[in-house]
Amino acid sequence: MKLFAPHILTALALMTSTAWAQSTEQRRITPVKPNTNTVLRPAKGTKEEVVQRYLEGDTASAQEELRKDSLRRVYPRYPLTTQASFGLNFGDALLMAFGQKYGSFGVSATLNMWNRLQPEIELGLGFANHTPEDMNFTYKGKASPYVKVGANYNFAFKNDPKYQVYAGVRLGYSSFKFDISDVTYHDPYWDETHSFSINGISSHALWGELLAGLKVTLFSNFALGWQARYHGIFSEKKNPNAQAWFIPGYGARDKSFSFTMSLYYTLPLSTQKWPKTENNENENGK
C-alpha cells in the first residue's frame, strides 16, 4: 500500500488541477448574460388586450393575435354575400344619339361574394334599323330578347366595395328575327331596276365575351359602371337567303369590340360583418 500511495496522490492532484482549469476556461469563454426578464411593450396602436398579454408574459398568444390582426388589415375577409347590385345598361342609348343605328338595352343582377367573385345574369332586348351607305338594302332587326350569364373577378377586393376594378367572362344567346327590305338590282340586259324584300327571317346565335370594367359609387347606393368588351360568335343559324347583320346583345356582327355603360343600385348584405378598411375608418372619423 505504501508503494501505491504516491501514485494515487499524484493522480488525484492531476484530476483536481484539470477540473479547475476546465472550469476556469469555461468561465472565461462564456460571457455573463444580462437580465432578460424585461418585457418590451408592443408597437403603438396594438390592441390593449394584446398589450396586457405581453405584460403578463404571454408573448406566444400575443404574437399570434398580432399576426392574425396584420393579416386582416392586409387581406380583409368580407362575408360570403357582401352585396347585390341591379343594373340598367344605357350605353347604346348614348351611342344612338350620335348616329348608331342599333341598340341593346338590358337589366342585370350581380351578387358580390367575398368582394371578389361576382356571378351575373343579364336580360334585355335588341333591335336595329340600318341602311348601309355602300349597300342596296335596308336591314331591320325586330326587337328580340337576349340573355347573358357569367362572372367578374374584382381585383380591388382589399378595398371598399364602393370602388371596383374587375375582369369577367360572359356567355350570350339570342333568338331573333330580321327583315331585308328594299333590295334593288339593275338588269343590264333590259336596262331595268327591280326591288324586293325578304321578311321574317329567323335566326339564333351563341357567343362569348371577355370584358374589363370599372364601378364607382356616386352617392348613397347608386353607382356608375363602364365596361369594354371583346366578343366572338361560337355558333349561328345559317340562312340561305341572308345573313344577320345585327345580333341582339352582341351588336353588329362585323365588330369585335363594344363599350357599355350602366347605372347600378347596390343593396348591401351583412354590413355588420364587413371588415374595417382605411376608407371606412376615414369616413367614420369625419
Side-chain angles (χ1 to χ4, degrees):
M1 293 296 293
K2 291 181 180 180
L3 295 175
F4 291 101
H7 298 286
I8 293 174
L9 293 175
T10 302
L12 290 174
L14 290 173
M15 291 174 62
T16 303
S17 61
T18 302
W20 180 84
Q22 291 178 350
S23 62
T24 303
E25 183 179 1
Q26 184 176 7
R27 285 197 300 270
R28 290 178 180 176
I29 295 174
T30 305
V32 177
K33 294 184 179 180
N35 185 9
T36 59
N37 294 328
T38 303
V39 178
L40 299 178
R41 189 179 181 87
K44 185 178 180 180
T46 306
K47 294 180 179 179
E48 188 60 31
E49 57 267 25
V50 178
V51 175
Q52 291 300 322
R53 291 184 190 177
Y54 265 101
L55 297 178
E56 293 171 2
D58 189 7
T59 57
S61 63
Q63 290 177 351
E64 179 65 18
E65 182 64 26
L66 283 177
R67 187 186 71 84
K68 292 180 179 179
D69 184 65
S70 62
L71 287 176
R72 282 192 292 268
R73 291 175 180 271
V74 176
Y75 180 66
R77 297 284 296 187
Y78 283 87
L80 172 61
T81 53
T82 307
Q83 55 187 196
S85 297
F86 305 94
L88 173 64
N89 178 11
F90 64 93
D92 276 354
L94 298 178
L95 295 177
M96 291 180 71
F98 289 94
Q100 182 173 281
K101 301 300 182 180
Y102 60 87
S104 296
F105 302 89
V107 293
S108 63
T110 309
L111 181 63
N112 190 356
M113 304 171 64
W114 303 291
N115 198 34
R116 276 197 178 197
L117 184 64
Q118 303 171 350
E120 179 175 310
I121 182 171
E122 180 181 347
L123 302 173
L125 293 173
F127 58 89
N129 189 348
H130 182 45
T131 303
E133 295 181 358
D134 56 344
M135 296 294 179
N136 60 339
F137 65 89
T138 296
Y139 182 96
K140 293 183 179 180
K142 300 179 180 180
S144 302
Y146 69 89
V147 60
K148 298 181 185 181
V149 293
N152 302 327
Y153 182 85
N154 179 25
F155 293 100
F157 62 89
K158 296 180 182 179
N159 301 325
D160 194 303
K162 293 181 178 180
Y163 310 97
Q164 300 178 11
V165 179
Y166 57 87
V169 294
R170 297 288 187 275
L171 182 66
Y173 176 82
S174 178
S175 178
F176 55 96
K177 292 184 177 182
F178 60 95
D179 299 336
I180 303 294
S181 60
D182 300 328
V183 181
T184 60
Y185 73 95
H186 181 73
D187 187 343
Y189 182 81
W190 297 103
D191 194 22
E192 295 179 351
T193 300
H194 303 274
S195 64
F196 65 92
S197 299
I198 306 174
N199 299 323
I201 305 172
S202 61
S203 184
H204 56 77
L206 178 71
W207 69 92
E209 298 179 353
L210 298 176
L211 60 89
L214 175 66
K215 183 179 178 182
V216 177
T217 297
L218 300 177
F219 59 90
S220 186
N221 293 341
F222 290 92
L224 195 61
W226 302 266
Q227 294 178 344
R229 303 176 182 240
Y230 173 80
H231 39 65
I233 299 174
F234 293 150
S235 64
E236 180 184 6
K237 179 183 177 181
K238 302 298 182 182
N239 193 297
N241 297 322
Q243 186 181 51
W245 172 78
F246 167 79
I247 300 174
Y250 180 94
R253 66 174 303 112
D254 58 346
K255 295 183 178 180
S256 299
F257 289 92
S258 62
F259 176 82
T260 60
M261 181 180 298
S262 300
L263 180 66
Y264 297 95
Y265 177 80
T266 300
L267 179 65
L269 303 174
S270 304
T271 55
Q272 70 277 8
K273 298 180 181 180
W274 288 14
K276 291 183 179 181
T277 63
E278 293 182 0
N279 292 333
N280 288 334
E281 292 175 355
N282 293 335
E283 291 179 1
N284 294 334
K286 295 178 181 179

